[in-house]
Amino acid sequence: MTTPAYLRFPHLHGELVVFTAEDDVWAAPLDGGRAWRVSADNMPVAHPRLSPDGETVAWTSRRDGAPEVHIAPVAGGSAKRLTHWGSWTTNVRGWTPDGRVLATTTHGQASLRRSWARAVPLDGGPAETLPYGPVGGVAFGPEGRVLLLSAPMGREAAWWKRYRGGTAGKLWIDGGGEGEGAAGEFGRLHAELDGNIECPMWVGDRVAFLSDYEGVGALYSSLPDGTGLRRHTSVEGFYARHAATDGARVVYASAGELWIVEGLDEGVEARRLDIRLGGQRVDLQPRPVDAANWFGAASPDHTGRGSAVNVRGAVHWVTHRSGPARALAAEPGVRARLPHTFRVDGEEHVAWVTDAEGDDALEFAPATG
């Protein structure tokens, strides 16, 4: 039986897919099988992207505090930090056609809503600010054409479902021609879609993106002029998230699983990738926690000899002078909170709120266990 895992932020190249899980970057065969770690920092990471030659992966890591751009060879080796911006909005978005890491950041800006695209060289030299103004994403297409995502609301659509406000992501496309609509002159694409747009991509000669204008986030594509709009994933169930492409195929995450769409022709259905994480799975192992950092509430008994204490979703009886602490409610996956002591027939009892059966309810037990 496959050990549960929550997989996010996929990208692919050739027969390899990279993604994040358990606060590290992983790689796995695209056909499925056992994955291996690319990073081993056990710190929050996001948006790994394979280089056009498939030899290097870039990602955003919070290993040193604020998110920064890191790279490492896919075949194995030490990771290298490329940026020192100190911006909490920094994100890797892909690679430029000339082999630099494409990232967005608000470094040097007065507002966290004004993220600019930067091209980061692999030798750690100064990054070039790209001339697109405040953007949330950039995608380079055929014949030098460019897609831009407006600086979005600061959270992905799955975090703020069916948002229709003014800071929803908007898609813009380079005209690509001469005279009116020339290269460098951008026009808005799919302004008629009443919903958030994110993850712009060029897939062959089509423009692909995620949107929740039909109620649930799904993968869509159209021709560059906006005609021929198609939906490629279901709008039943969970949002499609974190879509990325190698120019021919699209991978995305949904409900902690990775899916692939082999092409954007009509009738092509998404397929789930059967990936298993290797290693010790350290984040799934029980470990002691500092009670002071997870303290929720306490209620002493009427004698002052003991208290019911709530720590990280569990209720314990703690004596004030001697004797062991007792776990009254410490079941994994169940949250207990707000303990209160009371006395019945000379015996101390504790009552608390529990979600053991779904809805919140009251539960009680003798303080002696």
Side-chain angles (χ1 to χ4, degrees), residues 276-366:
R276 294 174 287 107
L277 299 189
Q280 297 182 6
R281 308 299 306 280
V282 293
D283 286 351
L284 294 180
Q285 303 302 315
R287 62 182 178 86
V289 298
D290 187 341
N293 292 335
W294 294 96
F295 176 79
S299 175
D301 72 353
H302 81 292
T303 67
R305 295 176 180 175
S307 294
V309 178
N310 174 220
V311 175
R312 204 171 186 265
V315 174
H316 303 263
W317 180 258
V318 180
T319 58
H320 294 171
R321 291 187 177 180
S322 61
R326 299 182 181 93
L328 303 181
E331 182 180 347
V334 175
R335 184 189 181 200
R337 59 191 179 91
L338 302 177
H340 285 273
T341 61
F342 63 97
R343 195 172 182 86
V344 177
D345 296 331
E347 297 291 334
E348 295 297 334
H349 286 67
V350 181
W352 60 87
V353 179
T354 178
D355 62 1
E357 297 180 357
D359 294 334
D360 281 349
L362 292 179
E363 189 171 37
F364 68 92

Side-chain angles (χ1 to χ4, degrees), residues 57-212:
V57 58
W59 70 92
T60 312
S61 172
R62 296 192 180 187
R63 184 192 68 186
D64 303 317
E68 302 289 355
V69 178
H70 290 66
I71 60 170
V74 175
S78 299
K80 178 181 179 182
R81 176 176 169 179
L82 296 184
T83 63
H84 296 79
W85 291 332
S87 167
W88 289 99
T89 63
T90 296
N91 271 307
V92 169
R93 297 301 183 187
W95 293 76
T96 64
D98 60 2
R100 293 178 291 176
V101 180
L102 175 66
T104 55
T105 182
T106 56
H107 171 66
Q109 299 296 314
S111 169
L112 292 178
R113 293 191 178 276
R114 295 182 58 86
S115 59
W116 285 63
R118 307 282 185 95
V120 184
L122 302 190
D123 61 3
E128 177 189 356
T129 301
L130 301 182
Y132 302 127
V135 294
V138 180
F140 298 100
E143 300 178 355
R145 301 196 69 181
V146 180
L147 283 174
L148 300 180
L149 180 69
S150 62
M153 55 190 174
R155 62 187 72 187
E156 60 176 290
W159 291 1
W160 196 348
K161 295 177 174 62
R162 289 167 285 280
Y163 172 72
R164 298 293 185 264
T167 60
K170 301 172 181 62
L171 191 60
W172 299 78
I173 188 169
D174 188 321
E178 297 180 357
E180 185 177 356
E185 296 184 6
F186 288 85
R188 189 173 171 190
L189 189 62
H190 296 305
E192 76 283 1
L193 300 185
D194 183 24
N196 197 24
I197 293 178
E198 56 188 0
C199 301
M201 300 166 281
W202 287 94
V203 184
D205 60 351
R206 296 181 68 83
V207 172
F209 54 91
L210 297 181
S211 178
D212 64 350

